[in-house]
PDB file of all heavy atoms in Angstrom:
ATOM      1  N   ARG A 362     116.598  51.305 265.411  1.00  0.00           N
ATOM      2  CA  ARG A 362     116.704  51.994 266.703  1.00  0.00           C
ATOM      3  C   ARG A 362     116.130  51.135 267.824  1.00  0.00           C
ATOM      4  O   ARG A 362     116.714  51.043 268.915  1.00  0.00           O
ATOM      5  CB  ARG A 362     115.965  53.333 266.633  1.00  0.00           C
ATOM      6  CG  ARG A 362     116.668  54.387 265.785  1.00  0.00           C
ATOM      7  CD  ARG A 362     115.826  55.649 265.696  1.00  0.00           C
ATOM      8  NE  ARG A 362     116.523  56.705 264.965  1.00  0.00           N
ATOM      9  CZ  ARG A 362     115.964  57.857 264.619  1.00  0.00           C
ATOM     10  NH1 ARG A 362     114.686  58.099 264.930  1.00  0.00           N
ATOM     11  NH2 ARG A 362     116.663  58.773 263.966  1.00  0.00           N
ATOM     12  N   ALA A 363     114.972  50.524 267.575  1.00  0.00           N
ATOM     13  CA  ALA A 363     114.367  49.680 268.600  1.00  0.00           C
ATOM     14  C   ALA A 363     115.251  48.476 268.905  1.00  0.00           C
ATOM     15  O   ALA A 363     115.388  48.066 270.068  1.00  0.00           O
ATOM     16  CB  ALA A 363     112.978  49.224 268.143  1.00  0.00           C
ATOM     17  N   GLU A 364     115.878  47.910 267.880  1.00  0.00           N
ATOM     18  CA  GLU A 364     116.761  46.765 268.103  1.00  0.00           C
ATOM     19  C   GLU A 364     118.007  47.181 268.882  1.00  0.00           C
ATOM     20  O   GLU A 364     118.492  46.438 269.749  1.00  0.00           O
ATOM     21  CB  GLU A 364     117.157  46.140 266.776  1.00  0.00           C
ATOM     22  CG  GLU A 364     117.984  44.871 266.932  1.00  0.00           C
ATOM     23  CD  GLU A 364     118.392  44.281 265.604  1.00  0.00           C
ATOM     24  OE1 GLU A 364     118.288  44.989 264.575  1.00  0.00           O
ATOM     25  OE2 GLU A 364     118.829  43.111 265.576  1.00  0.00           O
ATOM     26  N   ASP A 365     118.550  48.366 268.591  1.00  0.00           N
ATOM     27  CA  ASP A 365     119.709  48.846 269.335  1.00  0.00           C
ATOM     28  C   ASP A 365     119.370  49.032 270.809  1.00  0.00           C
ATOM     29  O   ASP A 365     120.159  48.676 271.689  1.00  0.00           O
ATOM     30  CB  ASP A 365     120.206  50.166 268.742  1.00  0.00           C
ATOM     31  CG  ASP A 365     120.897  49.965 267.395  1.00  0.00           C
ATOM     32  OD1 ASP A 365     121.257  48.810 267.092  1.00  0.00           O
ATOM     33  OD2 ASP A 365     121.067  50.951 266.653  1.00  0.00           O
ATOM     34  N   ALA A 366     118.181  49.593 271.087  1.00  0.00           N
ATOM     35  CA  ALA A 366     117.763  49.750 272.477  1.00  0.00           C
ATOM     36  C   ALA A 366     117.544  48.395 273.139  1.00  0.00           C
ATOM     37  O   ALA A 366     117.862  48.201 274.314  1.00  0.00           O
ATOM     38  CB  ALA A 366     116.482  50.581 272.538  1.00  0.00           C
ATOM     39  N   PHE A 367     117.029  47.432 272.382  1.00  0.00           N
ATOM     40  CA  PHE A 367     116.826  46.077 272.903  1.00  0.00           C
ATOM     41  C   PHE A 367     118.164  45.423 273.231  1.00  0.00           C
ATOM     42  O   PHE A 367     118.328  44.802 274.287  1.00  0.00           O
ATOM     43  CB  PHE A 367     116.067  45.259 271.854  1.00  0.00           C
ATOM     44  CG  PHE A 367     115.791  43.834 272.253  1.00  0.00           C
ATOM     45  CD1 PHE A 367     114.632  43.506 272.939  1.00  0.00           C
ATOM     46  CD2 PHE A 367     116.682  42.816 271.933  1.00  0.00           C
ATOM     47  CE1 PHE A 367     114.369  42.194 273.303  1.00  0.00           C
ATOM     48  CE2 PHE A 367     116.428  41.505 272.294  1.00  0.00           C
ATOM     49  CZ  PHE A 367     115.269  41.196 272.983  1.00  0.00           C
ATOM     50  N   ASN A 368     119.148  45.564 272.339  1.00  0.00           N
ATOM     51  CA  ASN A 368     120.458  44.953 272.566  1.00  0.00           C
ATOM     52  C   ASN A 368     121.224  45.637 273.695  1.00  0.00           C
ATOM     53  O   ASN A 368     122.053  45.008 274.359  1.00  0.00           O
ATOM     54  CB  ASN A 368     121.287  45.009 271.279  1.00  0.00           C
ATOM     55  CG  ASN A 368     120.699  44.139 270.185  1.00  0.00           C
ATOM     56  OD1 ASN A 368     120.035  43.141 270.458  1.00  0.00           O
ATOM     57  ND2 ASN A 368     120.939  44.503 268.946  1.00  0.00           N
ATOM     58  N   GLU A 369     120.955  46.911 273.908  1.00  0.00           N
ATOM     59  CA  GLU A 369     121.669  47.658 274.942  1.00  0.00           C
ATOM     60  C   GLU A 369     121.275  47.187 276.335  1.00  0.00           C
ATOM     61  O   GLU A 369     122.079  47.236 277.266  1.00  0.00           O
ATOM     62  CB  GLU A 369     121.374  49.153 274.781  1.00  0.00           C
ATOM     63  CG  GLU A 369     122.100  50.039 275.775  1.00  0.00           C
ATOM     64  CD  GLU A 369     121.723  51.496 275.606  1.00  0.00           C
ATOM     65  OE1 GLU A 369     121.050  51.821 274.604  1.00  0.00           O
ATOM     66  OE2 GLU A 369     122.083  52.304 276.470  1.00  0.00           O
ATOM     67  N   ARG A 370     120.047  46.730 276.481  1.00  0.00           N
ATOM     68  CA  ARG A 370     119.552  46.327 277.794  1.00  0.00           C
ATOM     69  C   ARG A 370     119.727  44.831 278.009  1.00  0.00           C
ATOM     70  O   ARG A 370     119.640  44.043 277.074  1.00  0.00           O
ATOM     71  CB  ARG A 370     118.070  46.692 277.937  1.00  0.00           C
ATOM     72  CG  ARG A 370     117.794  48.178 277.791  1.00  0.00           C
ATOM     73  CD  ARG A 370     116.320  48.477 277.959  1.00  0.00           C
ATOM     74  NE  ARG A 370     116.057  49.905 277.846  1.00  0.00           N
ATOM     75  CZ  ARG A 370     114.854  50.445 277.992  1.00  0.00           C
ATOM     76  NH1 ARG A 370     113.803  49.673 278.227  1.00  0.00           N
ATOM     77  NH2 ARG A 370     114.699  51.751 277.888  1.00  0.00           N
ATOM     78  N   LYS A 371     119.965  44.464 279.244  1.00  0.00           N
ATOM     79  CA  LYS A 371     120.062  43.056 279.600  1.00  0.00           C
ATOM     80  C   LYS A 371     118.686  42.440 279.840  1.00  0.00           C
ATOM     81  O   LYS A 371     118.529  41.227 279.754  1.00  0.00           O
ATOM     82  CB  LYS A 371     120.929  42.893 280.844  1.00  0.00           C
ATOM     83  CG  LYS A 371     122.384  43.287 280.622  1.00  0.00           C
ATOM     84  CD  LYS A 371     123.216  43.027 281.858  1.00  0.00           C
ATOM     85  CE  LYS A 371     124.675  43.396 281.604  1.00  0.00           C
ATOM     86  NZ  LYS A 371     125.533  43.142 282.799  1.00  0.00           N
ATOM     87  N   VAL A 372     117.724  43.265 280.188  1.00  0.00           N
ATOM     88  CA  VAL A 372     116.350  42.818 280.378  1.00  0.00           C
ATOM     89  C   VAL A 372     115.472  43.693 279.500  1.00  0.00           C
ATOM     90  O   VAL A 372     115.442  44.913 279.666  1.00  0.00           O
ATOM     91  CB  VAL A 372     115.913  42.932 281.854  1.00  0.00           C
ATOM     92  CG1 VAL A 372     114.468  42.476 282.016  1.00  0.00           C
ATOM     93  CG2 VAL A 372     116.836  42.120 282.752  1.00  0.00           C
ATOM     94  N   ALA A 373     114.780  43.102 278.538  1.00  0.00           N
ATOM     95  CA  ALA A 373     114.002  43.896 277.597  1.00  0.00           C
ATOM     96  C   ALA A 373     112.891  43.054 276.989  1.00  0.00           C
ATOM     97  O   ALA A 373     112.992  41.830 276.894  1.00  0.00           O
ATOM     98  CB  ALA A 373     114.896  44.454 276.491  1.00  0.00           C
ATOM     99  N   ARG A 374     111.832  43.740 276.594  1.00  0.00           N
ATOM    100  CA  ARG A 374     110.740  43.089 275.874  1.00  0.00           C
ATOM    101  C   ARG A 374     110.952  43.263 274.379  1.00  0.00           C
ATOM    102  O   ARG A 374     111.531  44.256 273.927  1.00  0.00           O
ATOM    103  CB  ARG A 374     109.395  43.690 276.283  1.00  0.00           C
ATOM    104  CG  ARG A 374     108.987  43.368 277.710  1.00  0.00           C
ATOM    105  CD  ARG A 374     107.581  43.858 277.990  1.00  0.00           C
ATOM    106  NE  ARG A 374     107.170  43.499 279.330  1.00  0.00           N
ATOM    107  CZ  ARG A 374     106.679  42.313 279.664  1.00  0.00           C
ATOM    108  NH1 ARG A 374     106.540  41.380 278.741  1.00  0.00           N
ATOM    109  NH2 ARG A 374     106.326  42.051 280.899  1.00  0.00           N
ATOM    110  N   LYS A 375     110.469  42.305 273.622  1.00  0.00           N
ATOM    111  CA  LYS A 375     110.576  42.411 272.167  1.00  0.00           C
ATOM    112  C   LYS A 375     109.734  43.590 271.684  1.00  0.00           C
ATOM    113  O   LYS A 375     108.742  43.974 272.315  1.00  0.00           O
ATOM    114  CB  LYS A 375     110.092  41.116 271.515  1.00  0.00           C
ATOM    115  CG  LYS A 375     108.621  40.822 271.758  1.00  0.00           C
ATOM    116  CD  LYS A 375     108.210  39.522 271.111  1.00  0.00           C
ATOM    117  CE  LYS A 375     106.728  39.245 271.368  1.00  0.00           C
ATOM    118  NZ  LYS A 375     106.287  37.972 270.749  1.00  0.00           N
ATOM    119  N   PRO A 376     110.121  44.221 270.580  1.00  0.00           N
ATOM    120  CA  PRO A 376     109.318  45.331 270.043  1.00  0.00           C
ATOM    121  C   PRO A 376     107.884  44.892 269.756  1.00  0.00           C
ATOM    122  O   PRO A 376     107.643  43.784 269.261  1.00  0.00           O
ATOM    123  CB  PRO A 376     110.068  45.713 268.763  1.00  0.00           C
ATOM    124  CG  PRO A 376     111.462  45.233 268.970  1.00  0.00           C
ATOM    125  CD  PRO A 376     111.344  43.981 269.798  1.00  0.00           C
ATOM    126  N   ALA A 377     106.956  45.773 270.071  1.00  0.00           N
ATOM    127  CA  ALA A 377     105.542  45.437 269.843  1.00  0.00           C
ATOM    128  C   ALA A 377     105.231  45.284 268.366  1.00  0.00           C
ATOM    129  O   ALA A 377     104.380  44.477 267.978  1.00  0.00           O
ATOM    130  CB  ALA A 377     104.659  46.517 270.472  1.00  0.00           C
ATOM    131  N   ILE A 378     105.914  46.058 267.511  1.00  0.00           N
ATOM    132  CA  ILE A 378     105.695  46.002 266.063  1.00  0.00           C
ATOM    133  C   ILE A 378     107.008  45.617 265.399  1.00  0.00           C
ATOM    134  O   ILE A 378     108.021  46.299 265.596  1.00  0.00           O
ATOM    135  CB  ILE A 378     105.213  47.358 265.521  1.00  0.00           C
ATOM    136  CG1 ILE A 378     103.901  47.761 266.203  1.00  0.00           C
ATOM    137  CG2 ILE A 378     105.042  47.308 264.011  1.00  0.00           C
ATOM    138  CD1 ILE A 378     103.421  49.139 265.814  1.00  0.00           C
ATOM    139  N   PRO A 379     107.044  44.536 264.620  1.00  0.00           N
ATOM    140  CA  PRO A 379     108.288  44.151 263.910  1.00  0.00           C
ATOM    141  C   PRO A 379     108.544  45.078 262.733  1.00  0.00           C
ATOM    142  O   PRO A 379     108.260  44.757 261.572  1.00  0.00           O
ATOM    143  CB  PRO A 379     108.004  42.707 263.470  1.00  0.00           C
ATOM    144  CG  PRO A 379     106.526  42.641 263.338  1.00  0.00           C
ATOM    145  CD  PRO A 379     105.963  43.570 264.383  1.00  0.00           C
TER     146      PRO A 379
END
Side-chain angles (χ1 to χ4, degrees):
R362 288 176 176 173
E364 185 181 15
D365 288 344
F367 180 89
N368 293 332
E369 182 182 350
R370 300 181 179 182
K371 294 183 179 181
V372 179
R374 291 187 177 277
K375 64 181 180 180
I378 301 175

